Amino acid sequence: MPPTPRQPKGNPILTAALKTLKRLQEKHHGVVEASDFKNDEQRAVLVDTGFLRPVMKGWYICSSPSDGEGDSTAWYASFWAFVSGYLGKRFGKRYCLNPEASLLLHTGNTTVPRQVTCVTIDSGTSKVDLPFDNSLLVYPDRNRVPKARMEVRGLQVWPVAEALCLAGPSFFINHPREAEIALATIRSASELLPTLLAGDKMVTAAGRLAAAFEFVRRPDEAELIRRAFAKSRITLKSVNPFELAEPTISPSKERSPYVLRLRSMWAGWRQDVIDAFPPAPGLDKQRAGYLARVDERYVSDAYNSLSIEGYRVTDELIERVARGDWNPDGEPEHDKTRNALAARGYYQAFQAVKESIGKVLTGENAGIVVKRDHHDWYAELFGPSVTAGIIEASQLAGYRRGPVFIRNSMHTPLPSEAILDSLEALWELIEAEPEACVRAVLGHHLFVFIHPYYDGNGRIGRFLMNTLLASGGYPWTVIRMSRRDEYMKALEAASVKGQITPLAQFIAQEMREWAPERAGKA
């Protein structure tokens, strides 16, 4: 949801329209119908000024006037709210997403799907075309709308156990991570039996799920299913539906789909990262020498990292804040002040990160160091903005408490209620990981994947990456602004397509660019 729009002076029609929009976006999560406006003039002026963007006839989402014609941020940010609002207005609760779509929601899938399939109790078949090649397929089938439905993100869905029984074998091939997570959230296979024993058509599904439990190393659950069918003199034909070489989630009592997803991503990706990286040089015994080389990277790192985030920063400004001769009172223009505050905060955070690297170089576990120190980096990054009165000090305490979205990304960061558990899992994974390149690449990506702060996630993620690179003796690596598009595409490939190799190769290439004599050859 975009920030509450500022009310412009001297335009009473737009001012009144924005007041109406503020009320509607809070009530409907950024999704509105034309009928929500009693005054068509207000709706028209909001569309003309870019505060509302049409989705389909009679339906709109809140947007920012600064968004370009092809900007997908507002749409992806509002996708599930739109689907929920549209289906709710059209069918009430007389519908259910199909089992596969239900499982994607239950397992915390963060990617906006190309198509969502909805089954209704009583309506005709239709395909609703949506922006950016998304669509909604609706068809009637009273028997495929369960009486005991659940609500996830405002949508009517199948319970996990029933959805697993009804999902086809292609789900395990096309969405193996979600299939593993769904199985891991099932405490006992007895939860599946009421559905599996309901009719002869479920025998194949029972054999598939028994084999799936065998694959994820839960043989007792597989045997429970087989015994239940054996009582009816039915011998199940078990066919493993997974095409994975091995499972990515170990049996545990963990039930959070977000924590399970992080563990699965780490286990499934770590070898890809190792294959893309040169061997670690090892910890540098000359601590001062390593930190001196980090200092040499400061100007270039600050320029590129801040530019990636959209700040206009010059070398001269960076050098001034590094010398300590910058004063915010001397910069009257808003943009210059904002850029200067960002540069000063980056300098202060850079110094704090150097202290953390110093701890790593003396042998402290890198996972423990970054867990303990990353809040300090964040506080330094935005400290100057607090001093200048631009943001409240309370905003630097803890993590975000609401949604946040990544510009033009089909990945939706984790909900705020999942942040603490997910970060705790991330620190544990980093602490236990023996390979520095895996710690750095996956630590960086999964931190940004979680997106725990409202702002600064990219900068903190790159600080995290470089602290973890140092734990293996790899040099401080600058992600250049000139390769920003490649960098963002690599992050998107990991978050949306489940492909970590592009990001691992990209970081390894940037590392060679900055220190070819130390990085070696992959």
Side-chain angles (χ1 to χ4, degrees), residues 111 177 265 269 409 411 445 486-503:
T111 301
R177 182 160 287 126
M265 293 163 87
W269 285 347
S409 174
H411 162 64
H445 173 68
E486 294 174 72
Y487 174 55
M488 300 307 291
K489 286 179 181 177
L491 288 170
E492 186 81 346
S495 296
V496 174
K497 299 179 181 179
Q499 301 168 356
I500 197 62
T501 298
L503 181 62

Side-chain angles (χ1 to χ4, degrees), residues 278-497:
L283 284 174
D284 194 331
K285 295 181 180 179
Q286 296 181 349
R287 178 175 181 271
Y290 188 98
L291 293 177
R293 289 189 289 275
V294 169
D295 264 332
E296 293 171 0
R297 297 279 183 269
Y298 167 69
V299 170
S300 181
D301 186 73
Y303 174 82
N304 284 280
S305 191
L306 288 170
S307 297
I308 285 173
E309 300 302 322
Y311 294 107
R312 292 191 298 276
V313 180
T314 64
D315 288 342
E316 186 271 335
L317 174 61
I318 294 169
E319 291 170 1
R320 282 177 56 203
V321 298
R323 292 195 303 267
D325 62 353
W326 164 80
N327 187 333
D329 295 334
E331 302 283 355
E333 296 91 345
H334 172 76
D335 286 345
K336 287 185 179 179
T337 298
R338 177 175 173 270
N339 292 341
L341 291 170
R344 180 63 195 178
Y346 198 88
Y347 174 75
Q348 293 178 183
F350 191 90
Q351 306 312 309
V353 174
K354 276 175 50 185
E355 292 182 15
S356 299
I357 290 176
K359 299 170 188 174
V360 171
L361 295 177
T362 58
E364 289 193 45
N365 183 284
I368 295 174
V369 171
V370 296
K371 175 184 178 180
R372 184 180 59 218
D373 292 357
H374 74 284
H375 263 318
D376 295 336
W377 307 345
Y378 184 74
E380 295 292 350
L381 192 63
F382 289 98
S385 295
V386 172
T387 302
I390 294 177
I391 64 176
E392 297 290 334
S394 60
Q395 292 179 248
L396 302 187
Y399 304 106
R400 60 178 168 86
R401 291 176 288 277
V404 67
F405 305 100
I406 302 172
R407 182 160 293 278
N408 292 318
S409 174
M410 293 180 71
H411 162 64
T412 304
L414 271 54
S416 56
E417 62 269 20
I419 289 174
L420 289 176
D421 287 343
S422 299
L423 281 178
E424 190 63 36
L426 177 59
W427 308 137
E428 290 174 358
L429 288 164
I430 294 173
E431 184 178 345
E433 174 56 52
E435 295 290 340
C437 61
V438 176
R439 292 194 289 267
V441 175
L442 297 189
H444 166 52
H445 173 68
L446 294 182
F447 183 87
V448 176
F449 181 88
I450 297 168
H451 236 65
Y453 298 116
Y454 282 112
D455 193 11
N457 295 283
R459 282 162 282 172
I460 297 297
R462 290 186 288 277
F463 283 146
L464 184 73
M465 176 190 77
N466 274 304
T467 303
L468 297 173
L469 283 174
S471 70
Y474 292 110
W476 184 285
T477 297
V478 177
I479 305 297
R480 291 171 290 172
M481 173 58 184
S482 61
R483 300 189 70 191
R484 181 186 187 277
D485 288 348
E486 294 174 72
Y487 174 55
M488 300 307 291
K489 286 179 181 177
L491 288 170
E492 186 81 346
S495 296
V496 174
K497 299 179 181 179

Side-chain angles (χ1 to χ4, degrees), residues 75-144:
W75 169 241
Y76 290 145
S78 306
F79 178 82
W80 285 114
F82 174 82
V83 174
S84 171
Y86 175 80
L87 293 177
K89 285 286 187 74
R90 187 173 172 188
F91 305 114
K93 294 187 177 182
R94 296 171 63 80
Y95 77 91
C96 189
L97 299 192
N98 72 346
E100 290 79 5
S102 298
L103 287 172
L104 292 180
L105 285 176
H106 278 300
T107 57
N109 185 286
T110 62
T111 301
V112 173
R114 285 297 179 192
Q115 184 175 80
V116 175
T117 300
C118 166
V119 186
T120 64
I121 293 177
D122 45 14
S123 77
T125 300
S126 63
K127 179 174 178 282
V128 181
D129 291 322
L130 300 172
F132 298 97
D133 295 323
N134 293 128
S135 62
L136 180 62
L137 179 63
V138 180
Y139 71 90
D141 187 342
R142 182 178 293 270
N143 295 327
R144 296 286 284 183

Side-chain angles (χ1 to χ4, degrees), residues 24-44:
L24 291 174
Q25 71 180 13
E26 291 172 351
K27 182 179 180 181
H28 301 302
H29 307 288
V31 178
V32 295
E33 273 190 284
S35 59
D36 291 329
F37 289 92
K38 296 180 180 179
N39 186 324
D40 285 340
E41 187 179 27
Q42 287 188 359
R43 176 178 54 81

